[in-house]
Amino acid sequence: MASLVSSSLMSPVRLCCLYLCSRASRRTLSANGLGQRSLCPGEGAAALCRQTNSPWWNGSRGFFSRGGGAGEEQQTLEDIAKNIRERQFKRVVVMAGAGISTPSGIPDFRSPGSGLYDNLQQYDLPYAEAIFELNFFHHNPNPFFALAKELYPGNYQPNLTHYFVRLLHKKGQLLRMYTQNIDGLERLAGIPPDMLVEAHGTFATATCTACLRKYEAEDLRPDILRGTVPKCPTCKGVIKPDIVFFGEELPHHFFKYLTDFPLADLLIIMGTSLEVEPFASLAGAVRGSVPRLLINRDLVGPFAWCRRPQDVVQLGDVVGGVQALVDALGWTQELDVLMAAAAEKAATKTEE
Ligand code: OAD
């Protein structure tokens, strides 16, 4: 077991950096706020694959899957479904990003045109990602709180992708869901908090940026929904929801990956660009023999530059992709019942 953990730790170079950083800006901010260049290991690994003459490297066209080596058949969505259904896969890890919440009406970050980062003009930011940067927040917290008002949990409902993960848990086959999302839809769908790693934090708790006093979501809710910046009653410092900003450390929960990923027998990645570290590197933290299923509009991360033989890609709308998996699993009716019950519960709550 120990060697499994350490060998999986060796491969994803980026996991040694546990401060949030973006591949696009290629910067990390250390705890004291000093800018540093960071390795962009996605590119580093691609270069390594090229140097080692990987059979998956297809010259200028990048990496491709060659459909399995001798005695190694290319896996399909149906194969994955069969293995889940027959409980060969009992420890499924799910990684998710903003793309699973776009069907609920929440924009993602990087989709050209519709993504949040293309629609922040009114905030007069020096560059889009500044909205999640600590230095900028200390200078001007207003843009973040305007966005927080928009994204605040309670305004949106989970969709089929969230309920699929809950069903996986109900079947006893979810090892953990790692999400980058801060919209709280996983919890709202009924995925138990201990099954979740909210890698980029949560609105559920908050901290005063001056005296570090802790607050609950309820303490901030009125201010956030009114569009005002919440201030600490004790020291008048700005209270920041515990969302992880670029340059901040990830929550200690994130370290669960050290034991979860070596145990996983299937990794499902959905609705993420895999552009933000160290989360993106988790895609490389499962054992080499473990199938990885990408359900996403675009080919991203290692699926684009260093695909493994047993990787499966379901390109297109995430709801359509998850529905295809659910149909292949024979779980359609069960998921419908689960979602209908959740919708009824939400409607009753609204009436109350
Ligand atoms: P991105 O916006 O970077 O990526 C979303 C991915 O989902 C893209 O590949 C989209 O093509 C895909 N997508 C969107 N809608 C889809 C749909 N309906 N069906 C299929 N695919 C769809 O979002 P994340 O990867 O989550 O940080 O971004 C990571 C982090 O960057 C976020 O957590 C955020 C941001 O800076 C913080 O909030 C701190």
Side-chain angles (χ1 to χ4, degrees), residues 65-287:
S65 167
R66 64 173 180 182
E72 208 175 15
E73 287 297 311
Q74 178 72 46
Q75 297 243 8
T76 64
L77 191 72
E78 285 68 32
D79 296 326
I80 299 272
K82 182 170 180 284
N83 282 314
I84 298 176
R85 197 173 50 241
E86 293 178 356
R87 304 185 69 81
Q88 305 296 328
F89 295 154
K90 284 190 287 228
R91 294 183 297 263
V92 182
V93 170
V94 176
M95 288 172 63
I100 70 163
S101 293
T102 60
S104 295
I106 306 174
D108 68 6
F109 294 92
R110 296 180 179 79
S111 283
S114 63
L116 199 65
Y117 289 154
D118 270 359
N119 291 284
L120 294 171
Q121 296 85 354
Q122 75 266 37
Y123 301 125
D124 200 21
L125 297 162
Y127 46 92
E129 288 180 353
I131 201 160
F132 288 120
E133 287 198 353
L134 263 190
N135 287 349
F136 185 80
F137 180 83
H138 290 313
H139 164 70
N140 179 10
N142 292 305
F144 169 75
F145 283 108
L147 182 66
K149 182 182 176 189
E150 182 63 27
L151 295 182
Y152 208 66
N155 293 340
Y156 301 93
Q157 291 302 318
N159 61 62
L160 182 137
T161 61
H162 302 93
Y163 287 111
F164 162 67
V165 182
R166 175 165 162 204
L167 185 54
L168 207 50
H169 167 63
K170 195 170 159 230
K171 300 271 183 188
Q173 285 166 274
L174 177 70
L175 179 58
R176 203 88 59 196
M177 178 180 197
Y178 285 71
T179 183
Q180 299 166 96
N181 296 345
I182 54 177
D183 51 37
L185 294 188
E186 295 87 359
R187 288 181 189 225
L188 210 54
I191 302 165
D194 62 331
M195 283 287 132
L196 276 175
V197 171
E198 294 165 315
H200 293 174
T202 167
F203 278 105
T205 54
T207 307
C208 171
T209 51
C211 71
L212 305 184
R213 205 174 146 193
K214 289 282 177 195
Y215 290 90
E216 294 299 316
E218 284 314 305
D219 303 326
L220 276 69
R221 177 184 282 271
D223 274 333
I224 291 187
L225 296 184
R226 239 192 339 262
T228 46
V229 175
K231 297 274 174 65
C232 177
T234 312
C235 75
K236 308 291 175 228
V238 173
I239 306 173
K240 177 180 153 294
D242 291 337
I243 305 299
V244 182
F245 277 29
F246 292 110
E248 285 192 303
E249 249 178 278
L250 271 70
H252 67 270
H253 270 43
F254 185 75
F255 285 95
K256 284 195 173 136
Y257 83 84
L258 287 169
T259 46
D260 285 347
F261 277 69
L263 287 177
D265 43 29
L266 172 66
L267 176 64
I268 301 178
I269 302 175
M270 47 190 191
T272 174
S273 60
L274 293 180
E275 282 287 332
V276 171
E277 297 297 350
F279 190 92
S281 283
L282 292 179
V286 285
R287 286 167 291 134

Side-chain angles (χ1 to χ4, degrees), residues 30-47:
S30 60
N32 63 10
L34 296 175
Q36 303 170 341
R37 288 281 296 174
S38 86
L39 181 67
C40 184
E43 291 169 7

